[in-house]
Amino acid sequence: MTDLPSAPDLELRLVRYFIAVAEQRHFGRAAEALHITQPSLSRQVRRLEEQLGARLLDRTPQGTRLTEAGEVFLPRAKGLLRATAQAAAETRAAAEPSRLTVGYMANLFVTPAVREVRRRHPDADVHVVHLAYDDVRAALFERRVDAVVARLPFSTDELEVTILYDEPRVLLVPLDHRLAGKEYVTVDDIADEPVPQVPGADPAWAAFWRIDPRPDGRPAPGGPVIRALEDKFEFVADGRAVAIVAGVRPGQTIRPDIVAIPLHGVEPSHVALATRSGEHNRLLSAFRKAAHALLRAPADSGEHPDTAH
């Protein structure tokens, strides 16, 4: 039997309670978030401190603060929960080889490939789940999904990524915009036009969709801050910004007060299939094959998407 290093018998529930207090910096708020009483939470945290042999938290008139030991333990506590979740997910995956979950981003269609996998593997339990643009890596590494169809750019470290197809980028403007009647536009045409910004967005993603910096090296003009796709359309429609999107054909009606114009001279959007590196099983292989054979740009497939991301 392999000798394992001795370690305290930590209860993961107590570790989770400590993290909640550490993040809230307040026992009362943490107790409310955990749906337990504050006295009970205090007792559970004390139990954890006894198991570790160190005080983790100090109460102050302003709230709760981490001790030096607490500062050291917090990132390790979060890592412990992540490792436990991953271990459980990997174990379930090994025990359930007939389950596959596919993630997809807005305005991307995975149905043909999913249906093909179900046709070839009628015993399989195949699910699909919509993901936000910035959730690709987390969803894969947290094993919420096994494969993702998404638009680049996103960090590809430790992922196996293949491009399925390209989508030309287009410019969205209001119907009364000075560029609305043009056959196509270039980056020079929008040199001074504000483009929406997404707070906290990955810099590479933001640079791609804002074309920032511009080809001449100048930064892209600032634009209104958005948190939802609908906000982007609203800012465009009322003339406060233009937007660069993909998955929309010129002349397509997104909403009656917005027009899409081809944007020439820029790299197209790449729609890619991403999976965890080195992971292979019969369902994942089947989906990869079906995705490459069946997933196409809307203009090729005849689909008529309603929105773009």
Side-chain angles (χ1 to χ4, degrees):
M1 181 175 177
T2 303
D3 291 332
L4 296 175
S6 61
D9 294 325
L10 298 183
E11 295 183 40
L12 293 179
R13 177 173 57 90
L14 305 185
V15 174
R16 188 175 294 108
Y17 287 174
F18 160 73
I19 292 173
V21 179
E23 291 181 339
Q24 294 284 351
R25 300 299 170 106
H26 194 279
F27 271 88
R29 289 194 296 269
E32 184 177 351
L34 293 167
H35 304 292
I36 63 175
T37 66
Q38 184 171 333
S40 175
L41 178 58
S42 297
R43 288 194 299 270
Q44 304 305 327
V45 172
R46 280 199 299 272
R47 284 184 58 197
L48 177 63
E49 291 175 328
E50 290 169 1
Q51 291 176 2
L52 290 169
R55 193 177 74 258
L56 302 174
L57 297 161
D58 280 335
R59 294 178 185 266
T60 72
Q62 290 74 37
T64 303
R65 66 176 181 83
L66 290 166
T67 64
E68 290 187 14
E71 294 281 4
V72 170
F73 184 61
L74 180 58
R76 291 160 176 79
K78 292 180 177 180
L80 179 61
L81 292 190
R82 283 195 298 269
T84 302
Q86 183 172 347
E90 291 178 4
T91 301
R92 285 194 299 269
E96 302 172 16
S98 293
R99 182 181 178 89
L100 180 76
T101 303
V102 177
Y104 66 97
M105 288 176 58
N107 197 29
L108 295 178
F109 302 94
V110 297
T111 308
V114 168
R115 293 183 65 180
E116 178 64 8
V117 174
R118 289 177 177 151
R119 186 184 72 82
R120 290 184 173 274
H121 300 276
D123 61 320
D125 185 11
V126 185
H127 293 264
V128 295
V129 59
H130 175 262
L131 298 175
Y133 78 94
D134 57 352
D135 197 26
V136 174
R137 288 182 60 81
L140 282 166
F141 287 114
E142 291 171 7
R143 294 185 174 268
R144 287 183 275 125
V145 299
D146 303 294
V148 177
V149 175
R151 289 186 177 89
L152 291 166
F154 51 82
S155 176
T156 60
D157 292 346
E158 301 182 72
L159 296 179
E160 184 174 325
V161 177
T162 56
I163 293 175
L164 298 175
Y165 57 87
D166 288 344
E167 296 174 323
R169 283 189 278 177
V170 301
L171 183 74
L172 301 183
V173 300
L175 288 178
D176 58 356
H177 194 275
R178 62 182 177 84
L179 300 173
K182 294 181 70 72
E183 182 179 353
Y184 67 88
V185 294
T186 68
V187 178
D188 290 340
D189 292 318
I190 59 170
D192 300 316
E193 296 280 355
V195 180
Q197 303 177 81
V198 179
D202 175 76
W205 185 91
F208 184 82
W209 291 107
R210 286 172 44 78
I211 310 182
D212 188 13
R214 297 298 164 81
D216 62 4
R218 291 190 300 163
V225 173
I226 64 169
R227 299 184 184 277
L229 185 63
E230 290 74 15
D231 294 337
K232 177 189 295 185
F233 293 154
E234 186 61 31
F235 282 126
V236 171
D238 72 6
R240 284 186 282 174
V242 299
I244 299 164
V245 302
V248 177
R249 297 185 303 280
Q252 177 183 336
T253 301
I254 300 170
R255 48 184 274 177
D257 47 6
I258 292 177
V259 63
I261 311 169
L263 181 58
H264 286 192
V266 298
E267 180 185 4
S269 167
H270 305 297
V271 176
L273 169 63
T275 59
R276 293 177 289 273
S277 294
E279 191 160 307
H280 301 276
N281 60 57
R282 64 174 189 134
L283 292 181
L284 203 52
S285 297
F287 182 75
R288 285 192 182 107
K289 182 177 180 180
H292 282 280
L294 300 174
L295 301 188
R296 296 282 186 272
D300 297 331
S301 64
E303 297 282 359
H304 295 276
D306 297 321
T307 60
H309 214 9

